[in-house]
Amino acid sequence: MTADSMKKTIATILLLAICTYLQSQVNPTDTLKTLDSVKLRAFGIDKLSSAVCMPVAVVDPEKFAQSKSSLLTALNTVPGVRMEERSPGSYRISIRGSSLRSPFGVRNIKVYWNDIAVTDPGGNTYFNQFAANNFTFLEVVKGPAASMYGAGTGGLILLNSFGVWKPGVTAEINSGSYSTLNIFGSLSWGDKEHKNMITGSRQQSDGYRDHTVMHRDNFSWSGSLKSGKRSQTDFSLLYTNLYYQAPGALTLTEYKNNPRASRPAAGAFPSARNAKAAIFQQNLLAGVTEKISFSNSVKNTTTVYGYFTDFKNPAVRNYEQRKEPSWGGRTNFNVKLYRNRHTLDINAGAELQTGLFNTQVSKNKNGERDTLQTNDDIKTITSGIYAQISYTYNNHLNIFAGASTNYTKVSIKRLSNYPVVAQTKNYQAEIAPRFGIMKDWDNHYYFFVSVSRGFSPPTTAELLPSTGVISTDLEAEEGWSYESGFRGFLFKRALHIELTGFSFKLEHALVPRRDNSGADYFVNAGDMTQRGLEFHADYTKKSGSGIFKQFFISSDLSMNHFHYGSFIKDGSDFSGNKTPSVPAFTASLQLNIDYAKGFYSNAGYYHAAKIYLNDANTAVADPYAILNLKAGWKKKMKTGITLNLYAGVENLLDETYSLGNDINAAAGRYYNAAAGRSAYFGLIISCRK
C-alpha cells in the first residue's frame, strides 16, 4: 500500500468518525448496553472497564464480520494486539510486540479459561485448542500490568464461559472456500443457582496453501453450583484433538512466484510435503473453582486444575514428540470495605504450577519417527505471591497499588547422554510493582496514569529450542512500563473514545534466531525501547422504528515505535534498528447494522504497515489491507426457534500478503502467505429462554 493510499485510509476513518458524530447530534436516541457495562474479572476488583486505571480491553467476538474459523478478526481490532495465522490451526498472538519470542504458538502472555491457567508451567500456551463457542467474551490486559497473574511482560487474556448465559440449545453449520466446514453445538440448562453448558465442535479445511489440511474436534463442559448464599463451585473441562499440516515458510522469490506453494526441498532437507510436516496435538484440561463469601466484605476464590498435552511434530529437519502433564492452583482473597464515600479493595493471593515434561527428538523418515537424537526430562516449578490495594473516593478518584514476586526453577536432564546430568536454572524472586491513579468527571471523562514493572524468564521452549542445544545461559527479560490515557463517553454514553500512550524500556530482550536447517534458538539483546499510541472509538445506537434498528461503528489505530538500544551479537551491530515483527501502524474499522425484519450486515477493514523481518532491517513484509463483509437474516418463529442465515466474504480485495512471518529466518525463509479471497455461508438454529 502506497503512502497516498494510507492517507486515504486514515481520511476514510476520520470521515466516518465525523459522520458518526454529526448523526448523534441530529438524532440522539436510547443506546444499547455495550461491553462497557460488563464487570471485569481481571485483578479481582469487580469494576467496569471504564473505571480501571490499567490497560484493559473487552472483546465480544460476535460483533465482528468474520467466520468462526478463528478469532483473528476480533482480536486484531484491539489496539496493540495482533493475532497471526501462519496456516490454519497455527496461531500467534502478540500484545505490544510480544510475538518476537514466538516462532510459533503463544509465549510471554498468560491465558486463563474460567480461572484455570491455560499457560503451562513452561510458559507456553496452546491457544489453538479453543473453539469459538468455548467462551462468550474475553478480556485483554496489555503489558506488565498483568504481573498479578505471574511473571511476564506481554500481557494477559481471560476467557469467560458464563459472561452471557441463558438456558437453551444452539446448532450451527457453515461451509466455504478451501473445503472449509465448521459445525458447532451448545446446550445450556439450569437456573441462576445451578448452571451448566456443554459445547462441541468439528472444524476442517484444506487450506489456501499446498499442504495445509486442518481438522479440530473440541468438547467443553462448564458448570456452576451454588451451595447456599455464600458458596459456589464451578467445574470446567476442555478437550481438543487437533491436526494440521505445516507448509513451511518461503523465500521472497518462492513467495512471489507462487504464494500458495509449500516449502520445497532444499539441499539436504526434504520438502514439507515429503517430510509430511504436521502437528498432532491433544489437550485435556480440567479444574474446579470454589468461591466462598465469609461475609459481605471478605471473599475467597480458589482454583485447582490438571492439564495434559500430547504433542507430535514431524518436521523438515526432525520428529519431535512431547508429553506434558502439569497441575497447579491459585487462591485469591478479596476484602472490600466501605465507609461513607470511601471504598477500599484489598486482594492478596498466590499461584503454584509444576510440570514434568518429556521431549524426544528423532530423525524424521517420511513422517515417521526414526533414530532417536535427544531425550529430555524437563521439570518446571513456577510460583508467585501478590498483593494489591485499590482505594476509591466518591466513585470519582481511584488509586491503585500492588506488587507480586515470582520464582521459576527449571531442571533439564538429557537421558540420551551418559552420564545423565541435570542442568538447572533458577530465576530468583523478583518484585514486580504496579501503581495507577484515575480521576473521572461525572462518570463521563476518565484520565489515568500507571507505572508497572515486568519480569519474564525464558520459557522451556526457549531454554530447549528446536536446535536441541540446552540454553540455560539465557537471562530473563525485565523492564519498566509507563502509561497514561483518556477515556470519554458522550451522547448518553453512545460514543466511547479512548486514547493511550505508553513507553516500555525492556532489558535483556529475548530475540529469536534460526540456523541453516531452520531450527530456532534465542539470544538476549542488550535492551529495547517500545513506545506507542493506541486509539479506540465506538458508537452504538438503537432506533425503535424505521429501516435501521441498530447501528454500531468502531475505529482502532495503533502507532508503534519499537527499536533496539545497544544490541551487538556475533560481530553484528543492530543498535538503533527497528524491532522486527511489529508494524509501525495498524488501523481497523468495523461497521455493524441491524435492519428491519431481521436483516443485518457487518463490514470489517484492517490495514497493517510494512513489517521488518530481521534484526538488520534488510528484509520486509509489504503493507496490506483486508476487507471482510458479512450479511444475514435472523427470525424468531412462533415455535420459539430462532433461525439465522448468513453469508460472507473475507479478503474481498484478494490481497496477497504474508501473515505469521518467520523472524530472523535463515536462507531468507520469512514468508507464510495468508488466504486469498474466500467465501462462506452458514445457518444457526437456536432455542433459548
Side-chain angles (χ1 to χ4, degrees):
M1 181 172 283
T2 65
D4 289 337
S5 61
M6 184 184 297
K7 291 178 182 178
K8 291 179 182 178
T9 298
I10 298 174
T12 301
I13 294 173
L14 293 176
L15 179 61
L16 285 169
I18 293 171
C19 292
T20 299
Y21 173 82
L22 293 175
Q23 184 177 4
S24 63
Q25 289 280 47
V26 173
N27 185 26
T29 60
D30 292 337
T31 62
L32 295 175
K33 285 188 176 181
T34 67
L35 280 177
D36 178 62
S37 64
V38 176
K39 287 191 175 182
L40 298 176
R41 299 164 63 100
F43 305 112
I45 54 179
D46 198 33
K47 288 180 178 286
L48 301 180
S49 61
S50 58
V52 177
C53 51
M54 289 291 173
V56 181
V58 181
V59 180
D60 176 7
E62 293 295 329
K63 279 194 172 183
F64 300 97
Q66 61 173 7
S67 69
K68 288 190 175 180
S69 298
S70 76
L71 289 170
L72 189 144
T73 302
L75 279 175
N76 281 343
T77 62
V78 180
V81 178
R82 180 173 168 82
M83 184 173 181
E84 300 173 330
E85 188 175 59
R86 302 170 76 237
S87 61
S90 179
Y91 308 137
R92 290 199 312 220
I93 299 175
S94 70
I95 300 177
R96 293 178 177 171
S98 60
S99 69
L100 188 61
R101 292 174 57 178
S102 303
F104 59 89
V106 177
R107 301 176 190 169
N108 197 31
I109 297 174
K110 289 295 291 289
V111 178
Y112 288 77
W113 177 63
N114 297 340
D115 297 315
I116 299 172
V118 180
T119 303
D120 65 33
N124 183 50
T125 302
Y126 296 98
F127 200 82
N128 54 8
Q129 69 185 288
F130 289 104
N133 59 348
N134 291 147
F135 51 89
T136 55
F137 74 96
L138 55 88
E139 301 168 36
V140 179
V141 182
K142 305 172 189 177
S147 58
M148 172 180 165
Y149 291 85
T153 58
L156 168 74
I157 298 177
L158 300 181
L159 308 174
N160 305 297
S161 291
F162 285 133
V164 179
W165 181 88
K166 292 180 180 180
V169 60
T170 298
E172 177 177 359
I173 182 170
N174 65 59
S175 182
S177 303
Y178 318 123
S179 301
T180 299
L181 177 64
N182 299 317
I183 302 173
F184 301 95
S186 66
L187 173 64
S188 302
W189 72 95
D191 52 36
K192 292 182 178 180
E193 305 293 325
H194 309 85
K195 294 186 290 187
N196 285 276
M197 182 169 66
I198 292 176
T199 70
S201 67
R202 167 73 179 187
Q203 297 176 255
Q204 61 188 48
S205 170
D206 286 347
Y208 169 75
R209 296 175 61 190
D210 174 55
H211 198 65
T212 52
V213 170
M214 183 275 287
H215 54 77
R216 172 172 48 205
D217 297 308
N218 173 281
F219 169 84
S220 77
W221 169 57
S222 301
S224 182
L225 173 64
K226 282 194 173 183
S227 303
K229 295 182 178 180
R230 299 196 177 276
S231 178
Q232 177 179 317
T233 305
D234 294 342
F235 307 91
S236 298
L237 176 68
L238 178 69
Y239 171 75
T240 301
N241 187 359
L242 171 65
Y243 166 80
Y244 64 89
Q245 295 174 336
L250 304 175
T251 66
L252 181 59
T253 300
E254 293 165 350
Y255 171 69
K256 287 185 174 181
N257 288 339
N258 183 11
R260 302 187 67 166
S262 58
R263 172 177 171 160
F269 298 100
S271 67
R273 174 174 284 278
N274 288 340
K276 298 183 180 179
I279 300 293
F280 299 82
Q281 176 185 315
Q282 293 187 72
N283 303 94
L284 178 62
L285 177 65
V288 179
T289 298
E290 186 69 24
K291 301 177 181 179
I292 300 176
S293 298
F294 298 103
S295 67
N296 292 333
S297 301
V298 182
K299 299 178 182 179
N300 173 263
T301 300
T302 298
T303 302
V304 293
Y305 54 87
Y307 191 17
F308 180 75
T309 297
D310 186 345
F311 181 93
K312 299 175 184 176
N313 176 206
V316 168
R317 61 182 303 276
N318 57 31
Y319 190 116
E320 182 182 20
Q321 182 172 4
R322 303 200 298 254
K323 303 285 187 180
E324 299 176 336
S326 63
W327 50 93
R330 179 181 178 88
T331 187
N332 177 75
F333 286 90
N334 172 256
V335 179
K336 188 182 293 286
L337 304 174
Y338 303 91
R339 185 171 183 180
N340 298 328
R341 292 178 292 179
H342 306 270
T343 303
L344 195 64
D345 265 299
I346 302 172
N347 279 277
E351 185 167 10
L352 173 68
Q353 287 182 285
T354 183
L356 299 173
F357 300 166
N358 178 261
T359 298
Q360 297 182 23
V361 178
S362 308
K363 292 183 66 175
N364 180 9
K365 186 175 181 180
N366 301 321
E368 300 293 335
R369 295 179 63 187
D370 196 33
T371 308
L372 181 69
Q373 296 176 338
T374 59
N375 182 7
D376 297 294
D377 275 349
I378 308 160
K379 181 178 181 180
T380 305
I381 300 175
T382 64
S383 61
I385 58 174
Y386 63 88
Q388 65 179 26
I389 185 170
S390 176
Y391 166 73
T392 305
Y393 173 71
N394 201 29
N395 289 325
H396 295 302
L397 175 66
N398 177 246
I399 301 174
F400 179 97
S404 60
T405 181
N406 300 280
Y407 171 79
T408 299
K409 180 179 180 180
V410 182
S411 177
I412 302 175
K413 290 183 180 180
R414 177 142 292 174
L415 306 180
S416 52
N417 287 355
Y418 298 96
V420 176
V421 178
Q423 297 192 44
T424 302
K425 182 73 173 183
N426 292 318
Y427 294 93
Q428 299 297 333
E430 295 278 348
I431 302 297
R434 306 176 300 281
F435 309 96
I437 184 170
M438 171 179 283
K439 180 70 174 72
D440 83 84
W441 279 263
D442 196 31
N443 292 324
H444 283 82
Y445 309 102
Y446 302 79
F447 296 88
F448 67 91
V449 295
S450 67
V451 180
S452 55
R453 181 179 184 271
F455 170 77
S456 180
T459 66
T460 55
E462 291 160 341
L463 294 172
L464 185 60
S466 56
T467 56
V469 178
I470 301 174
S471 306
T472 51
D473 58 330
L474 291 176
E475 299 297 327
E477 293 183 336
E478 56 182 310
W480 286 89
S481 177
Y482 304 88
E483 192 159 348
S484 63
F486 162 78
R487 299 183 184 115
F489 295 87
L490 301 170
F491 311 118
K492 298 182 181 180
R493 301 184 77 85
L495 179 63
H496 168 213
I497 299 174
E498 187 164 344
L499 178 64
T500 304
F502 67 90
S503 178
F504 186 24
K505 182 65 174 294
L506 189 63
E507 303 287 347
H508 312 302
L510 286 161
V511 180
R513 290 282 189 275
R514 286 181 181 267
D515 64 15
N516 291 329
S517 69
D520 58 78
Y521 63 99
F522 292 81
V523 297
N524 285 111
D527 62 83
M528 184 190 300
T529 299
Q530 302 176 348
R531 296 190 179 100
L533 285 174
E534 298 166 354
F535 171 79
H536 169 82
D538 66 71
Y539 173 75
T540 310
K541 187 172 71 173
K542 183 179 180 180
S543 176
S545 59
I547 298 177
F548 299 101
K549 297 297 183 181
Q550 180 176 322
F551 178 88
F552 171 83
I553 184 172
S554 68
S555 176
D556 296 271
L557 304 174
S558 296
M559 289 176 283
N560 302 308
H561 182 63
F562 290 14
H563 63 88
Y564 292 123
S566 175
F567 182 20
I568 301 175
K569 197 72 179 178
D570 298 330
S572 298
D573 188 353
F574 305 115
S575 302
N577 285 6
K578 299 290 181 63
T579 302
S581 82
V582 183
F585 173 80
T586 64
S588 70
L589 186 68
Q590 182 71 28
L591 175 64
N592 297 349
I593 301 176
D594 286 354
Y595 306 94
K597 298 183 179 180
F599 293 96
Y600 63 89
S601 65
N602 301 336
Y605 174 85
Y606 181 80
H607 166 75
K610 68 179 181 181
I611 301 173
Y612 289 108
L613 303 178
N614 59 359
D615 292 330
N617 292 173
T618 56
V620 175
D622 292 334
Y624 63 89
I626 303 301
L627 178 62
N628 299 329
L629 299 177
K630 181 180 179 181
W633 172 76
K634 184 186 293 186
K635 175 69 173 179
K636 187 171 184 178
M637 305 298 181
K638 293 181 180 180
T639 58
I641 295 176
T642 299
L643 298 179
N644 185 348
L645 287 164
Y646 61 86
V649 180
E650 296 188 330
N651 192 5
L652 179 66
L653 306 178
D654 201 22
E655 184 94 39
T656 299
Y657 65 105
S658 178
L659 188 63
N661 307 287
D662 286 12
I663 305 302
N664 287 322
R669 293 195 173 278
Y670 302 111
Y671 303 94
N672 289 283
R677 183 187 297 116
S678 60
Y680 62 90
F681 61 94
L683 168 66
I684 304 174
I685 302 175
S686 62
C687 181
R688 294 187 177 277
K689 285 188 178 181

